[in-house]
Amino acid sequence: MTTDSCKVLMIFPLFNASSFWNYKEACDLAGARYPAAPLGLITVAALLPKHWEVKLVNRNTELLTDEDFAWADMVMTGGMLPQRNDSLRTIEMCRTSNKPVVVGGPDVTSSPDLYSAANFQVLGEAEEIMIDFITAWRRGDTQGVFKAPMGKTDVTKSPLPRFDLLKLDQYLHVGIQFSRGCPFSCEFCDIIELYGRVPRTKTNAQVIAELDALYALGYRGHVDFVDDNLIGNKKALKKFLPDLKLWQNKKKFPFEFSTEASINLADDTDLLRSLAETNFFAVFIGIESPDTDTLVMTQKKQNTRRSLQESITKIHEAGIFVNAGFIVGFDSEKSSVAAGMVECIEDTSIPVCMVGLLYALPTTQLTRRLLAEGRLFSGGEQTQSGDQCTAGLNFETNRPRRDVLNDYRTVLA
Ligand code: SF4
């Protein structure tokens, strides 16, 4: 190997077995191996020198072999909190095989100390700092930490992700991204800590080029806009949607879209119409709680001063169905929370709900408050088998823990 050629093995770690991200039954129904493709890693792959060879192994869909390790000059890995166990395992395997390993992604960025066994850490958004890592690697460095300023990366410089590295038929949907960041301030949210409260958007041409690339690879069907909040910058979105509609028309609507958005989407009839016209069929909305006091306390004020039922109905009327997230375990919650949540789900006719237990994610306002109150448990033991939704409550709850868990069970039933 010379310093200017390199074989990079990208390993997408396994999600914990009980993570809600797996939705295995839906995959079985559709003949897919996993719901979502690893968009972060294929974006990083596009930042590497063109002549470097890249191989991607997704541990959720395929086996990682000794031959893969033997082939590689370097391993890149990392992901989200529910992938932490396997990310750490992967680092260990690299150390055993004597392969330099680079880690990045949201969990590494939030908790870098846990990943200190890796040779290199790329913290934050990779676009503007990968070049520093590449320079260090070419120089012969064997370790280093490269840190991007949080929430500041210019996403118009983000490269076209290497969709060609994916085995597209293994997934329920493929992700693309229009924006990063969210203007709101929910206390439990780490998005705003990692990606900022000023949403940054790609150019229309960038996103259309991504769709062109997917189309050229023969992909058809479900594309998920993985934005933190697609309507975070409504002005930019409204400028983008006419181009997207034009593209869909020209190609005879090869894609159907889903995304995440805040509930104030319901207040903008024109925007709803434009989304439906471009073939958005589903949106995930964080409702979190039917209890106004809880929404105020957790700083989710955009969900207050409105009828949740009317808001969801307006989105349904536009022809877009709503998946929603609910959380049990907030401090201000009352014993009536389970009944209120069930009633809210039934009244809003939401067909797919993700009900989770509150988890204080690293770096959030919630974690800082619980720490100051001496209520945060140390370590990440709660996430050994599940994730922040299925194995949450990593803190001393306000109500008796047994009551909170009973309410969680009632809503799930
Ligand atoms: S609306 Fe969603 S993304 Fe935005 S701050 Fe709240 S939880 Fe985070």
Side-chain angles (χ1 to χ4, degrees):
M1 182 194 76
T2 70
T3 47
D4 213 29
S5 71
C6 190
K7 291 177 178 156
V8 182
L9 175 62
M10 297 198 140
I11 302 176
F12 192 57
L14 269 176
F15 281 80
N16 289 342
S18 309
S19 167
F20 75 90
W21 291 103
N22 295 331
Y23 39 107
K24 189 176 174 317
E25 288 75 12
C27 290
D28 289 346
L29 264 179
R33 293 194 192 176
Y34 204 71
L39 181 62
L41 275 182
I42 61 170
T43 303
V44 171
L47 292 163
L48 299 175
K50 299 270 174 288
H51 55 282
W52 285 15
E53 290 175 66
V54 181
K55 184 192 268 192
L56 171 67
V57 176
N58 182 346
R59 300 248 295 150
N60 301 279
T61 62
E62 58 203 326
L63 285 178
L64 177 65
T65 64
D66 290 343
E67 289 73 41
D68 292 327
F69 270 108
W71 170 85
D73 298 318
M74 172 208 304
V75 173
M76 290 188 165
T77 191
M80 303 198 295
L81 179 62
Q83 293 170 283
R84 179 186 289 173
N85 296 333
D86 200 52
S87 298
L88 295 174
R89 248 191 317 266
T90 304
I91 294 171
E92 232 175 84
M93 286 191 274
C94 292
R95 303 301 298 211
T96 310
S97 323
N98 221 9
K99 295 288 170 187
V101 55
V102 190
V103 284
D107 194 47
V108 184
T109 302
S110 296
S111 307
D113 294 351
L114 296 176
Y115 292 87
S116 56
N119 300 79
F120 299 95
Q121 293 187 342
V122 178
L123 307 178
E125 296 163 74
E127 280 87 351
E128 286 169 15
I129 52 169
M130 274 311 281
I131 188 64
D132 298 337
F133 161 70
I134 293 163
T135 305
W137 173 261
R138 283 176 166 156
R139 200 166 51 218
D141 291 6
T142 53
Q143 55 185 24
V145 176
F146 307 89
K147 192 170 178 182
M150 303 304 258
K152 296 268 190 293
T153 296
D154 179 359
V155 294
T156 65
K157 292 190 179 139
S158 192
L160 197 147
R162 291 277 313 270
F163 295 115
D164 59 295
L165 293 173
L166 300 174
K167 298 175 183 86
L168 289 162
D169 58 350
Q170 293 187 344
Y171 300 100
L172 275 185
H173 43 77
V174 177
I176 62 170
Q177 190 176 47
F178 173 62
S179 69
R180 289 181 203 159
C182 174
F184 294 112
S185 190
C186 305
E187 190 194 31
F188 55 84
C189 178
D190 65 346
I191 297 285
I192 46 181
E193 310 286 338
L194 290 167
Y195 305 115
R197 295 188 55 233
V198 181
R200 294 155 288 136
T201 57
K202 292 181 180 171
T203 65
N204 294 5
Q206 256 179 301
V207 184
I208 295 295
E210 293 185 20
L211 294 173
D212 274 333
L214 269 176
Y215 186 86
L217 287 167
Y219 184 74
R220 302 290 184 271
H222 187 173
V223 172
D224 184 42
F225 276 77
V226 301
D227 298 41
D228 307 313
N229 180 358
L230 184 72
I231 65 165
N233 182 339
K234 273 198 200 178
K235 205 169 145 199
L237 180 64
K238 285 181 177 180
K239 278 192 190 152
F240 168 60
L241 288 175
D243 283 2
L244 181 58
K245 185 176 162 190
L246 215 64
W247 187 91
Q248 283 273 69
N249 266 313
K250 208 167 92 191
K251 302 283 188 194
K252 303 194 188 331
F253 285 80
F255 298 142
E256 54 197 14
F257 302 116
S258 59
T259 194
E260 295 82 35
S262 42
I263 200 161
N264 54 314
L265 169 63
D267 307 336
D268 195 327
T269 310
D270 289 342
L271 182 54
L272 276 172
R273 192 182 314 115
S274 296
L275 288 169
E277 283 173 358
T278 50
N279 217 16
F280 274 84
F281 74 101
V283 60
F284 177 90
I285 292 180
I287 291 181
E288 325 305 4
S289 175
D291 176 38
T292 303
D293 290 345
T294 296
L295 292 169
V296 170
M297 196 205 158
T298 198
Q299 295 165 205
K300 191 128 197 164
K301 292 192 187 153
Q302 66 272 28
N303 285 23
T304 64
R305 299 187 300 275
R306 65 171 63 244
S307 152
L308 289 170
Q309 187 184 357
E310 280 171 23
S311 298
I312 301 297
T313 301
K314 270 194 87 176
I315 300 173
H316 283 164
E317 281 171 356
I320 298 172
F321 90 77
V322 175
N323 305 316
F326 289 84
I327 299 176
V328 181
F330 290 110
D331 278 359
S332 50
E333 221 165 65
K334 301 171 193 81
S335 56
S336 55
V337 67
M341 226 171 247
V342 170
E343 193 183 316
C344 177
I345 292 166
E346 286 178 352
D347 284 355
T348 48
S349 312
I350 294 171
V352 183
C353 287
M354 193 261 285
V355 184
L357 287 163
L358 184 62
Y359 186 91
L361 291 162
T363 75
T364 55
Q365 301 170 79
L366 175 63
T367 282
R368 293 193 283 276
R369 174 167 68 80
L370 292 171
L371 252 180
E373 293 172 2
R375 295 168 55 200
L376 191 70
F377 297 157
S378 58
E381 303 82 13
Q382 299 285 330
T383 59
Q384 288 303 301
S385 62
D387 57 30
Q388 64 270 34
C389 286
T390 54
L393 301 184
N394 57 340
F395 59 93
E396 201 63 58
T397 51
N398 223 11
R399 290 195 296 144
R401 199 173 188 82
R402 178 183 292 271
D403 293 357
V404 176
L405 291 171
N406 266 335
D407 283 334
Y408 177 57
R409 195 170 52 187
T410 303
V411 182
L412 287 187

